[in-house]
């Protein structure tokens, strides 16, 4: 284990190797920073006579290929000013006695101890280096050159196997890096993953989303000093404005509005989300769209009050129960189709035997079982086809696909007055998004957003325990939290909203669960759609 030594006074710059750093003056611009560099960027450092404060290489293939250069960096660490090296265990072992130097940190030991929350993820040197920076005491962390616009195959690359490429020829142009000869003839490296056509970025983006809760818990703030970066896990800014942006983030974190008490798990608190939704209804009935209607528990409450309901439920078994329960309501329109950001996309369909409400297109959890396929629509296309020009309230709970459903909603034409949307990183992070992507999306359309947070589920059979209701932006109090966003197109009456929350909160008998550490996004998504 490598515990935090002490809080660092200087800001940290984590240096990706993306093309946005082309022409960047490392010596001049980074004079006031401690720096984290990685992988084969040493080839550039050698030419300018500048080296970072810390070095990391968390790719087993890249590290093994560059082992001689890494050995040379360690042997000359005092001369270069490199204080510590974060390396994978295969690299540490290949270094022999040098791998046991006090300057070398074995990342796999961190993974087994301090960094248990990283298990199950692809190793992303950039994101996990940022997590390392926070863990050793850096509170202000700026990302540079983290572009995530990687081109998979560059000129001269040939497959070694399905996961590894080799540069058989010297590349004449390499768009992936900030200097031309980052990669050279003979270099061996991993292929960036792309396993799904609806997501524009690589699987490596998951690493950035996954470290965000731990970054917050450490008291550190990370900003991305490349406004054009595809990494959306942290606020973006220019390098010039980075320190001011960090200060602004801290102010936001300190101004969370609490509209309820905060309950510990042992208090057995329960929040009636549907009851709160009904209490927020205007006097006149309107139109509600329920995406992921399941058995109609929410829809029925609105139908009983005269509302017109468009209920979407893609699972045929749940859909049959939904039809039976809503059959007596004339204003209920049931659609047995999946909702996403793209119309006509074919997805595999998975069921969860003990939780039929957790049917999904993703199959993210170990208990999910493949059960055929489904085809998607977008709400934008559905509204166009059915001449729908207004939805008053939108409910979305579709097991990790919430953000994709919102991306397919016609916000450019009309906006619901209230949106209630589930979030659960365990289900959404394998789909390249987390709760903050969802919350930020709602904020981007001018909504006033609040977070109803539940304690992490320790097992799939755990009794849900509610924690609190607060304004957003806010971080959950621990990784693995889940819940709902309540988003309002107009500023709500805070006192009235707090009263509604209070009236829909109760304490139930608490049943202790086994001492299990919750995990987030426990596995790689099962689907491998070819495109």
């Amino acid at each position: 284990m490598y515990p935090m030594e002490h809080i660092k006074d200087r800001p940290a710059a984590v240096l990706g190797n993306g093309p946005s750093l082309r022409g960047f003056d490392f010596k001049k611009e980074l004079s006031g920073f401690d720096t984290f560099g990685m992988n084969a960027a040493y080839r550039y450092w050698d030419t300018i006579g500048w080296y970072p404060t810390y070095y990391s290489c968390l790719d087993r293939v890249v590290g093994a290929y560059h082992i001689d250069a890494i050995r040379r960096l360690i042997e000359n660490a005092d001369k270069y000013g490199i204080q510590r090296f974060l390396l994978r265990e295969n690299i540490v072992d290949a270094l022999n006695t040098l791998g046991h130097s006090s300057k070398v940190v074995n990342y796999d030991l961190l993974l087994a101890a301090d960094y248990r929350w990283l298990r199950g993820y692809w190793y992303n040197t950039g994101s996990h280096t940022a997590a390392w920076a926070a863990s050793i005491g850096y509170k202000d962390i700026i990302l540079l050159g983290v572009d995530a616009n990687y081109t998979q195959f560059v000129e001269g690359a040939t497959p070694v196997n399905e996961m590894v490429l080799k540069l058989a020829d010297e590349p004449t142009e390499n768009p992936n890096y900030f200097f031309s000869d980052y990669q050279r003839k003979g270099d061996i490296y991993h292929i960036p993953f792309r396993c799904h056509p609806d997501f524009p970025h690589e699987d490596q983006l998951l690493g950035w989303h996954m470290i965000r809760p731990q970054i917050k818990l450490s008291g550190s703030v990370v900003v991305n000093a490349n406004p054009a970066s595809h990494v959306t896990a942290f606020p973006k800014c220019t390098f010039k404005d980075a320190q001011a942006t960090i200060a602004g983030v801290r102010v936001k974190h300190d101004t969370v509005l609490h509209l309820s008490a905060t309950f510990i798990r042992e208090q057995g608190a329960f929040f009636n989300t549907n009851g709160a939704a009904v209490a927020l209804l205007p006097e006149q009935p309107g139109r509600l769209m329920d995406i992921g209607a399941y058995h109609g528990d929410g829809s029925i409450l609105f139908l009983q009050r005269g509302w017109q309901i468009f209920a979407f439920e893609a699972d045929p078994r749940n859909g049959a129960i939904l039809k039976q329960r809503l059959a007596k309501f004339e204003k209920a329109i049931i659609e047995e189709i999946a909702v996403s950001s793209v119309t006509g996309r074919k997805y595999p369909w998975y069921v969860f035997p003990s939780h039929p409400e957790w049917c999904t297109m993703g199959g993210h959890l170990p208990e999910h079982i493949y059960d055929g396929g489904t085809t998607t629509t977008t709400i934008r296309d559905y509204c166009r086809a059915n001449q729908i020009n207004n939805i008053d309230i939108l409910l979305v709970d579709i097991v990790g696909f919430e953000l994709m459903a919102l991306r397919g909603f016609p916000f450019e034409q009309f906006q619901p007055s209230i949106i209630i949307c589930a979030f659960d990183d365990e289900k959404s992070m394998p789909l390249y998004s987390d709760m903050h992507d969802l919350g930020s999306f709602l904020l981007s359309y001018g909504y006033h957003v609040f977070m109803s947070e539940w304690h992490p589920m320790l097992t799939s059979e755990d009794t849900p325990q509610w924690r609190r209701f607060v304004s957003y932006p806010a971080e959950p109090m621990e990784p693995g939290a889940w819940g709902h966003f309540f988003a309002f197109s107009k500023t709500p009456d805070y006192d009235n909203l707090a009263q509604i929350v209070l009236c829909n909160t109760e304490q139930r008998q608490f049943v202790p669960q086994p001492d299990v550490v919750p995990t987030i996004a426990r596995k790689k998504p099962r689907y491998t759609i070819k495109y």
Side-chain angles (χ1 to χ4, degrees):
M1 297 177 64
Y2 300 87
M4 182 185 295
E5 298 168 355
H6 56 80
I7 295 176
K8 305 294 195 295
D9 295 328
R10 288 158 62 90
V14 175
L15 306 175
N17 297 320
S20 66
L21 276 186
R22 191 170 291 124
F24 186 79
D25 191 333
F26 286 69
K27 291 182 178 180
K28 177 182 176 181
E29 301 292 350
L30 298 175
S31 61
F33 293 82
D34 286 347
T35 53
F36 291 74
M38 58 195 72
N39 295 336
Y42 67 84
R43 288 171 168 166
Y44 181 75
W45 308 334
D46 288 341
T47 66
I48 64 173
W50 175 96
Y51 297 88
T53 317
Y54 302 88
Y55 173 85
S56 58
C57 182
L58 303 183
D59 187 308
R60 293 180 183 273
V61 172
V62 171
Y65 181 78
H66 293 274
I67 188 66
D68 290 337
I70 293 173
R71 181 180 291 108
R72 188 249 304 174
L73 292 175
I74 298 173
E75 290 173 342
N76 292 276
D78 291 337
K79 174 184 174 181
Y80 296 154
I82 305 177
Q83 296 181 11
R84 198 166 295 174
F85 297 78
L86 184 67
L87 305 172
R88 294 305 303 272
E89 192 163 62
N90 70 310
I91 307 173
V92 173
D93 291 343
L95 290 169
N96 300 318
T97 57
L98 193 61
H100 299 289
S101 164
S102 61
K103 292 183 180 295
V104 174
V105 178
N106 186 326
Y107 180 72
D108 289 272
L109 294 183
L110 289 182
L111 196 67
D114 291 359
Y115 288 7
R116 285 189 298 269
W117 45 276
L118 290 180
R119 286 179 179 175
Y121 280 86
W122 301 272
Y123 295 104
N124 178 335
T125 299
S127 63
H128 296 186
T129 297
W132 182 42
S135 74
I136 62 177
Y138 288 95
K139 296 304 175 187
D140 295 358
I141 301 172
I142 299 170
L143 307 180
L144 285 164
V146 177
D147 302 348
N149 58 353
Y150 207 94
T151 299
Q152 283 188 287
F153 295 95
V154 299
E155 182 182 351
T158 58
V160 174
N161 55 47
E162 63 178 5
M163 298 299 297
V164 177
L165 295 175
K166 180 178 181 178
L167 283 174
D169 299 308
E170 204 75 41
T172 57
E173 182 181 358
N174 193 327
N176 294 327
Y177 301 105
F178 72 94
F179 63 103
S180 58
D181 63 340
Y182 179 93
Q183 289 179 318
R184 300 172 181 173
K185 181 179 179 180
D187 281 4
I188 297 175
Y189 61 99
H190 266 122
I191 299 174
F193 296 106
R194 278 184 193 269
C195 69
H196 197 288
D198 289 349
F199 305 104
H201 313 312
E202 294 81 10
D203 289 358
Q204 290 183 338
L205 292 183
L206 284 172
W208 295 103
H209 291 295
M210 175 268 304
I211 69 169
R212 182 159 48 184
Q214 292 297 133
I215 292 289
K216 171 61 178 176
L217 290 174
S218 73
S220 301
V221 174
V222 176
V223 297
N224 186 353
N226 175 11
S229 172
H230 288 170
V231 174
T232 59
F234 302 101
K236 296 181 186 178
C237 59
T238 63
F239 181 58
K240 179 181 178 181
D241 296 331
Q243 294 283 18
T245 302
I246 287 173
V249 170
R250 286 208 163 89
V251 169
K252 287 184 179 180
H253 286 171
D254 293 339
T255 55
V256 176
L257 177 64
H258 292 260
L259 295 186
S260 77
T262 298
F263 296 91
I264 62 173
R265 185 183 296 272
E266 288 71 20
Q267 288 178 281
F270 175 82
F271 179 65
N272 186 344
T273 302
N274 286 332
V278 169
L280 291 166
L281 292 181
E283 293 183 4
Q284 295 298 320
R287 284 176 168 175
L288 180 141
M289 190 166 280
D290 190 355
I291 302 175
Y294 185 45
H295 294 167
D297 293 345
S299 293
I300 288 174
L301 295 176
F302 293 93
L303 288 165
Q304 290 172 338
R305 288 158 177 80
W307 280 63
Q308 182 179 20
I309 302 296
F310 298 91
F312 289 78
E313 176 52 55
D315 184 76
R317 290 158 294 273
N318 291 332
I321 296 173
L322 179 66
K323 284 181 178 180
Q324 183 179 11
R325 296 188 71 192
L326 303 190
K328 64 181 180 181
F329 296 101
E330 294 182 357
K331 291 188 175 183
I333 299 174
I334 299 173
E335 301 291 351
E336 295 182 276
I337 189 169
V339 175
S340 187
S341 58
V342 179
T343 293
R345 182 73 74 197
K346 293 183 178 180
Y347 277 89
W349 188 253
Y350 293 88
V351 297
F352 195 113
S354 62
H355 286 275
E357 72 274 23
W358 289 357
C359 296
T360 176
M361 294 180 281
H364 336 306
L365 304 178
E367 298 87 347
H368 271 131
I369 298 174
Y370 176 74
D371 190 49
T374 189
T375 304
T376 64
T377 188
T378 66
I379 298 304
R380 180 179 290 106
D381 289 341
Y382 180 83
C383 288
R384 183 185 299 117
N386 293 278
Q387 299 181 330
I388 298 171
N389 57 14
N390 184 57
I391 294 294
D392 298 288
I393 296 178
L394 177 64
L395 308 181
V396 189
D397 189 348
I398 46 175
V399 197
F401 278 76
E402 290 81 10
L403 181 58
M404 295 180 70
L406 290 180
R407 285 175 173 162
F409 191 91
F411 287 103
E412 69 281 2
Q413 299 174 25
F414 56 86
Q415 295 189 9
S417 58
I418 300 175
I419 299 175
I420 301 176
C421 189
F423 68 84
D424 187 341
D425 283 357
E426 182 176 28
K427 299 177 178 66
S428 67
M429 286 177 67
L431 303 173
Y432 308 83
S433 68
D434 67 6
M435 61 170 290
H436 293 296
D437 291 309
L438 186 58
S440 297
F441 182 91
L442 294 168
L443 290 172
S444 72
Y445 280 94
Y447 279 89
H448 303 268
V449 184
F450 295 81
M451 177 176 69
S452 172
E453 178 184 350
W454 294 69
H455 288 272
M457 297 281 284
L458 301 181
T459 71
S460 62
E461 305 306 318
D462 190 14
T463 301
Q465 308 294 336
W466 190 64
R467 190 194 293 275
R468 59 175 184 161
F469 194 99
V470 299
S471 65
Y472 183 85
E475 291 287 342
M477 296 185 71
E478 60 181 312
W482 58 282
H484 295 83
F485 286 125
F486 283 66
F488 303 88
S489 61
K490 297 180 179 179
T491 305
D493 182 325
Y494 292 159
D495 291 337
N496 181 57
L497 183 56
Q499 186 64 30
I500 289 173
V501 172
L502 177 63
C503 291
N504 284 278
T505 302
E506 60 179 293
Q507 287 183 245
R508 300 179 172 181
Q509 183 178 2
F510 176 72
V511 179
Q513 298 292 323
D515 185 15
V516 179
V517 177
T519 58
I520 307 175
R522 292 171 285 177
K523 59 185 284 293
K524 183 176 180 178
R526 295 185 179 191
Y527 46 71
T528 52
I529 299 177
K530 297 184 182 297
Y531 58 100

